[in-house]
Structures are given as C-alpha cells and as structure tokens.
Amino acid sequence: MLKIKNKNINPVLFVLINQLFKIITGPLMLLLIPLYLSKEEQGIWYLFSSLLALSIFADLGFSTIVLQFSAHEFSKLKIDENFILSGDEENIKKISSFFIFICNWVTRMILIVFPIIFLIGFYILYSKMPINLWLIPWILYVLISAISFFLNNLLSFFQGFNIVAQIEKIKFYISLLTSFSTIISLYLDLKIYSICLSSILGLFLLLYFLNLIFKKTILQLINNSKEFSYDWFDEIYQLLWKSGLSFASGYFIFQIYTPLMFIYKGPIEAGKVGLSISLWVSIFGISNSFIASIIPKVNIEISNKNWIILDKIFNKNLFFSLITYFLFFISFFIIYKYFGKNLVIKERNILERFLSPFSMFILGITWFSQLYINAIATYVRSHKKEPFALLSVVYALYIPSSTFILAKYFHSDYFFIGFLSSTLVALPYIMYIYFKEKKGHLSI
C-alpha cells in the first residue's frame, strides 16, 4: 500500500525511477513494433495514438488547471498518512466542491468529444485499410481511453496535494504492467490488439489504486461538498478559454503529422513518422521529468510568494532537463552513424523503419526547443496566467498548412520544416514573456 511515510522525500527521485523504466521500455517498444508489426500495421498503430490525441479537445488544458487550482487550495490545508484532509472547515468544503466540479465537467466533455474521435478515425481508416484489420481494436481503444481520461483527471487533482512521489508510484506500476503486457502481446502475435489489451489492464490497475489509496479521501470530499456551493466555472473560465486555445492548438502543432502522412503518403510512411516522433517524444518525456516533478511545488511557492525559492528550484531543474536531452540527442546520432547498418533483427533493419537522418535531426532540434518552451510555459501558467493563447492559434494555423503542403508536394525529408521554423521564430517572444513574469515578482 502506498502511504506517505516521509513527507520530505524528494519527488524527483520517484519521477526519475518512472522515467528510467521508460528509458528501458521505450527503446524496447521502438524495437518490437517494427519487428512484430508489418509496415502497414505500424502505420495503423501510430495512427491510433495520433487520433486519440484528439482527446485534447476534451481536456483543453483542464487537467493542468485542475493541478494548479488543487495545489493552490491545498496550500491552506494538510493531509495525513491516510490521505485525510485537515484544516479550516470552509477550505475543506471549497476544495471538495472543486472535486465535484471536476467530475461533472470531465464527464460532459467525454460524452461530447470521444464519439467524434471515433467517427473521425473510422472515416480515415475506412478510406485506406480493410475494416477487419482495425474496427474492433479501434472501438475498444476509444472506449478504454475515455474512461482512463476521466480517472487521470482525478490523479491530476490529487497530485496537487504535493504528493508527486505517490502519484509517480502509481504511474510506475501502471507503466510496468502496460509495457510488459504490450511486449508479451506483440510477441504472441496479437498485432493491433496489443495496444487495446495493455490499455484495458492499465485501466483496471488505475481503478484499483484509486480505490486502495484515495477511497477515504474521495468519500471525505463527496461528504463535505454537500450543501456547499462555489462557482468554480466563474473563477476558471477566463483561464480555461485561453488555455483551451493553447491546448487545442497543440493537436495541430504536435499530432497532425501521422494522420497527414497516412492520408497523403500511405500507412508505411505514416508508420515511419509515428515511430520517429515516438523516439523524440520519449526522450522529451525523460528529460521533462525534472520539470514535471516540481509543478505542485512551484504552484505552492507562487501561492506563498516565495520568489527566491521558486526560481532556485525552477532553474536547477531546467538545467538538468536540458542537459539530459542533449546527451540523448548526441547518443542517438552516434549509434545511427556507427552501428545503424548492424541493427538487423529477424532480417529487418530497424533503422529503415525510421525517417532519414536529416529528418531525425530536424525533429531532434525541434523537440529540444519544445522542451525549453514547455518549461517556460509551465512556469508562467503556474501563476494562473495564459499568455500563449494567441501564439498557439498562430502555431495551429501555420504548422498544419505548411505541413499539408510539404506532405502533398515534397519529399518526406522536408516534412517537419514547418514545425521547426515555427518553433525557432516563436522562441524570442516566449523568452520575453518569461522574463517579464520574473520581473513582475520584484514589484510585489
């Protein structure tokens, strides 16, 4: 059972344990997918993931807002080893009403967005692939993802209690189960069904942990929310619509590539795009663990106006985040240059399933820039501000249109030029917002 035995435990340790596991399983999955799936099936696999990323239109940044507001409200409360809240009764009722608001909001968004996701996927897949290859897996994957979406918003709420270590333990066990079940399923030749099986098992384990660890907390929150009313929508809607623009735009910035390549170049090229992006996203995730682990702490220090401690924590973790990515970046191209021709397993050269070295370099540089941008955005948004909405809309217009032209009329090597150029042009503006926010601390 996951209990808080030492509240001074460094949460980065548990985030890194989770990410270190991904260092092992991530490359393994990148190896197994091209080994046990055909080129066409690889395209379907990554198309599933890209289409499910449309769930961002159900989220619209809400899960980030949940964590921020939960952390701000929790700063006035305490929690014991049984995860029972204590403190002023009015503050407990307020955070309890926020929990109920989350449940109601997320349920409505699921009922609106996920049926649309299913229909979009059905249309794209039906136009390119035999229906027997994907229909049942697609139905299962969408259904399980909808339920998981609801539960993960609850995890975001509890993570705001500054129990990052405990949440990361949960994520680690789920990642352990889903990774090994996917590996075994692929080995057993279950093909596309492998992604569904792992999702189902991960969902049941998440339900188990929520019941085991947070059952008493949830009952406390439900009981304290009765006969108490607070207009949370009125408080968050200004932030939500701006955040919604940013996060909805995020789909067109980060996830449009595999579907576009699937439509214009076919499932084989789409599979290469999906596998290549997965590599850099995995490295991004590992490197970003230094930032993700301090989000509750950053929100709490902002709430308490501890600016010196805030910047010390943020700057240290940002440095480790960037240097980690850089080391992975260099390592990949060393392996590519000196060992690439020898990476042949089951008569398949693994690197042939990726894009060209030129495209991989463009992607690697772009995701390095995104790592820095994400850290800055996290810092600024923790102040309950969203100054990036307009920029995200510009991104969302420029990147899909430029990528559409590149996909339709140019070689795959140039597919990510629009993505890279937009990132480099936006960096000066993003840095200006960051330093402006830091300067504002001096006047408070």
Side-chain angles (χ1 to χ4, degrees):
M1 185 172 179
L2 307 179
K3 289 188 176 183
I4 298 177
K5 294 184 178 180
N6 184 354
K7 294 186 179 181
N8 296 318
I9 292 175
N10 186 353
V12 176
L13 174 64
F14 292 97
V15 176
L16 289 177
I17 289 173
N18 200 356
Q19 297 301 333
L20 283 172
F21 177 72
K22 292 180 181 178
I23 291 175
I24 299 171
T25 59
L28 184 58
M29 290 302 301
L30 292 173
L31 177 68
L32 290 175
I33 287 172
L35 283 180
Y36 289 98
L37 298 178
S38 68
K39 293 179 180 180
E40 292 80 6
E41 289 166 341
Q42 179 177 314
I44 295 174
W45 182 287
Y46 285 111
L47 182 65
F48 272 26
S49 299
S50 294
L51 290 173
L52 247 299
L54 284 166
S55 62
I56 199 168
F57 290 96
D59 189 350
L60 297 176
F62 185 71
S63 58
T64 301
I65 294 173
V66 165
L67 196 159
Q68 293 170 358
F69 273 69
S70 176
H72 277 274
E73 294 303 320
F74 178 73
S75 65
K76 307 176 185 70
L77 300 168
K78 294 181 181 180
I79 193 168
D80 64 20
E81 64 178 14
N82 293 314
F83 294 87
I84 300 298
L85 291 165
S86 60
D88 183 79
E89 185 177 349
E90 285 299 307
N91 290 330
I92 293 177
K93 288 183 176 180
K94 189 177 179 183
I95 200 171
S96 298
S97 69
F98 184 53
F99 176 79
I100 299 301
F101 171 77
I102 293 166
C103 294
N104 292 335
W105 178 271
V106 173
T107 300
R108 293 190 191 101
M109 297 307 294
I110 287 173
L111 293 175
I112 295 170
V113 175
F114 278 84
I116 297 174
I117 293 175
F118 173 79
L119 292 175
I120 292 173
F122 185 93
Y123 174 78
I124 294 175
L125 287 159
Y126 187 75
S127 65
K128 294 287 183 179
M129 305 294 293
I131 196 168
N132 61 294
L133 288 179
W134 54 266
L135 180 58
I136 295 177
W138 180 235
I139 293 171
L140 291 172
Y141 194 47
V142 172
L143 180 61
I144 297 302
S145 297
I147 301 171
S148 297
F149 177 82
F150 178 87
L151 299 179
N152 280 306
N153 271 276
L154 300 190
L155 274 189
S156 293
F157 173 81
F158 290 121
Q159 188 169 343
F161 292 6
N162 199 25
I163 51 172
V164 177
Q166 285 66 32
I167 298 298
E168 286 300 319
K169 283 183 181 180
I170 294 173
K171 291 180 179 179
F172 171 73
Y173 291 132
I174 293 172
S175 180
L176 187 70
L177 177 63
T178 55
S179 296
F180 280 112
S181 61
T182 303
I183 291 169
I184 293 170
S185 300
L186 286 170
Y187 179 76
L188 294 175
D189 207 30
L190 296 182
K191 302 295 185 182
I192 302 300
Y193 283 94
S194 301
I195 196 172
C196 302
L197 178 61
S198 63
S199 298
I200 292 170
L201 293 176
L203 172 63
F204 280 115
L205 189 58
L206 177 54
L207 280 168
Y208 168 76
F209 279 128
L210 284 172
N211 179 70
L212 178 68
I213 302 168
F214 298 113
K215 181 179 179 180
K216 292 181 180 178
T217 321
I218 292 172
L219 291 174
Q220 181 190 19
L221 293 167
I222 292 173
N223 289 331
N224 280 279
S225 67
K226 296 175 180 177
E227 299 180 1
F228 182 87
S229 177
Y230 189 86
D231 191 354
W232 283 105
F233 182 78
D234 186 60
E235 183 167 342
I236 72 170
Y237 84 93
Q238 294 251 6
L239 183 62
L240 183 61
W241 79 262
K242 292 180 181 179
S243 177
L245 282 177
S246 296
F247 279 80
S249 300
Y251 182 83
F252 299 102
I253 297 169
F254 300 113
Q255 298 291 342
I256 197 66
Y257 310 103
T258 302
L260 274 179
M261 191 63 86
F262 195 96
I263 292 169
Y264 288 105
K265 302 293 185 181
I268 295 177
E269 287 300 313
K272 289 183 179 181
V273 167
L275 192 65
S276 301
I277 292 176
S278 292
L279 173 66
W280 293 115
V281 169
S282 296
I283 295 173
F284 173 92
I286 293 166
S287 306
N288 191 57
S289 63
F290 291 95
I291 299 299
S293 64
I294 61 169
I295 291 177
K297 184 66 174 175
V298 164
N299 279 273
I300 289 172
E301 298 304 339
I302 290 172
S303 181
N304 294 325
K305 295 182 172 58
N306 294 326
W307 309 126
I308 295 176
I309 296 175
L310 167 68
D311 288 339
K312 182 179 179 181
I313 292 171
F314 180 77
N315 291 337
K316 180 182 73 172
N317 283 270
L318 176 60
F319 171 79
F320 283 118
S321 177
L322 295 176
I323 198 68
T324 300
Y325 187 101
F326 178 75
L327 292 174
F328 273 106
F329 180 86
I330 295 298
S331 299
F332 171 79
F333 285 101
I334 290 174
I335 293 171
Y336 203 113
K337 180 175 178 60
Y338 293 104
F339 304 101
K341 294 181 180 179
N342 298 321
L343 289 176
V344 178
I345 305 174
K346 294 178 65 176
E347 300 181 352
R348 295 181 181 182
N349 189 308
I350 302 303
L351 291 181
E352 289 181 355
R353 291 294 188 93
F354 289 89
L355 293 169
S356 68
F358 176 78
S359 291
M360 294 299 287
F361 180 81
I362 294 296
L363 262 179
I365 293 296
T366 305
W367 277 102
F368 180 76
S369 302
Q370 287 297 327
L371 182 67
Y372 180 76
I373 290 172
N374 177 76
I376 298 305
T378 298
Y379 181 94
V380 174
R381 285 170 176 148
S382 293
H383 291 75
K384 292 186 176 180
K385 297 180 179 180
E386 182 46 75
F388 305 111
L390 180 60
L391 178 63
S392 297
V393 172
V394 174
Y395 264 1
L397 293 173
Y398 171 73
I399 292 178
S401 57
S402 62
T403 305
F404 164 78
I405 294 171
L406 291 165
K408 190 172 183 179
Y409 299 108
F410 291 86
H411 192 273
S412 300
D413 282 353
Y414 305 102
F415 189 57
F416 293 102
I417 294 296
F419 188 19
L420 175 62
S421 61
S422 66
T423 301
L424 296 180
V425 169
L427 264 176
Y429 172 74
I430 293 167
M431 293 176 67
Y432 166 75
I433 295 294
Y434 169 60
F435 287 112
K436 181 181 178 182
E437 189 62 52
K438 292 187 67 173
K439 186 178 179 181
H441 295 166
L442 300 177
S443 61
I444 297 177

